Amino acid sequence: MAPRPSLAIIRMGVSYLTERLATDQQDIATALLDIDDAVTRADQVIRGLLDFSVFKTLEVSPQDLNSIIERSLLLIKHEMAKSHITPVTRLAGELPPLTLDRNKMEQVFVNVFMNAIHAMPEGGTLTVTTYAKQLTERGQFVGQRSTDRFAVGETVAVADVEDTGPGIPEEQLTKIFDPFFTTKPLGQGTGLGLAVTKSIIDMHGGVIMVRNRP
């Protein structure tokens, strides 16, 4: 996708100037490269803000959750190979029928998968498991109140995404879905990916949770 029009003009100008630099003007070339990098990061932030604030409706239809996951893994195949990540899928044969916005759910899984990849800089395994689960007792998000997301007795579809990274510090677990919160180094993340992900899940009437392994 192309950058915002005004940012695209800046990048075009940077490219034009770079092509016309003399070979001995390395300091200017470095400055132009820094400008191009800053514009790219600004565009990422703007996209995240638009994703977070603009969409209010879903274009839903009956969808197969497993095929959405498989497509999302295909979209990040290059990133996994580059980062030496081995994907493992354990997808249930029969899941409850789901009414989803396919494009937005692919965005959800790509966001989650990319966060898992970034958590394994030395390589590792990304495991995705799907299964159906009947809710047999009350608990978080499950009850009989109108505000509860699910009801006792319902059967839900679950997707577990597990990585072999070091985990998330306990004091940060409650913050990772907050807008602009990121554990990545400066300039490597907008802090909007997981906030957008949670917003999409909420719009679908679902739940996303995170936990560390013991």
Side-chain angles (χ1 to χ4, degrees):
M1 188 179 295
R4 308 295 102 188
S6 58
L7 297 181
I9 292 172
I10 295 174
R11 295 192 70 181
M12 287 173 58
V14 169
S15 177
Y16 175 84
L17 293 172
T18 302
E19 291 173 359
R20 282 154 179 76
L21 281 177
T23 55
D24 62 345
Q25 294 177 295
Q26 187 58 45
D27 55 338
I28 299 177
T30 300
L32 290 172
L33 185 63
D34 289 342
I35 292 171
D36 188 68
D37 181 62
V39 170
T40 299
R41 285 189 281 113
D43 187 60
Q44 291 173 346
V45 172
I46 292 171
R47 289 183 193 282
L49 287 170
L50 289 174
D51 282 341
F52 189 66
S53 62
V54 170
F55 65 80
K56 298 297 182 185
T57 59
L58 300 173
E59 297 180 5
V60 298
S61 59
Q63 296 289 339
D64 174 30
L65 182 63
N66 289 338
S67 71
I68 290 176
I69 290 171
E70 289 170 339
R71 168 65 177 168
S72 302
L73 287 170
L74 187 62
L75 290 173
I76 62 164
K77 182 179 180 180
H78 174 71
E79 290 293 333
M80 286 193 292
K82 184 174 68 174
S83 302
H84 307 290
I85 304 298
T86 301
V88 176
T89 55
R90 300 166 180 159
L91 307 181
E94 294 185 9
L95 291 174
L98 299 176
T99 302
L100 306 172
D101 184 317
R102 185 180 184 90
N103 289 332
K104 287 187 172 60
M105 287 305 300
E106 285 182 2
Q107 181 182 0
V108 161
F109 283 106
V110 167
N111 280 345
V112 172
F113 295 159
M114 288 303 297
N115 272 272
I117 289 172
H118 293 157
M120 298 182 283
E122 305 301 322
T125 303
L126 175 65
T127 304
V128 188
T129 306
T130 60
Y131 56 94
K133 177 181 180 180
Q134 186 175 30
L135 305 175
T136 58
E137 57 185 32
R138 297 183 186 181
Q140 187 180 19
F141 306 112
V142 182
Q144 296 178 335
R145 299 169 300 179
S146 60
T147 55
D148 289 325
R149 197 64 56 94
F150 305 112
V152 174
E154 279 189 302
T155 299
V156 298
V158 181
D160 278 345
V161 181
E162 183 177 2
D163 64 64
T164 54
I168 301 170
E170 290 297 325
E171 68 273 12
Q172 296 180 357
L173 278 176
T174 60
K175 303 176 183 178
I176 64 169
F177 297 114
D178 293 349
F180 300 109
F181 178 80
T182 179
T183 59
K184 298 173 185 175
L186 183 64
Q188 294 187 20
T190 63
L192 288 169
L194 289 179
V196 170
T197 292
K198 186 177 185 304
S199 182
I200 294 173
I201 293 293
D202 288 343
M203 291 174 67
H204 279 86
V207 169
I208 182 168
M209 296 178 287
V210 61
R211 66 183 184 274
N212 288 319
R213 294 185 305 275

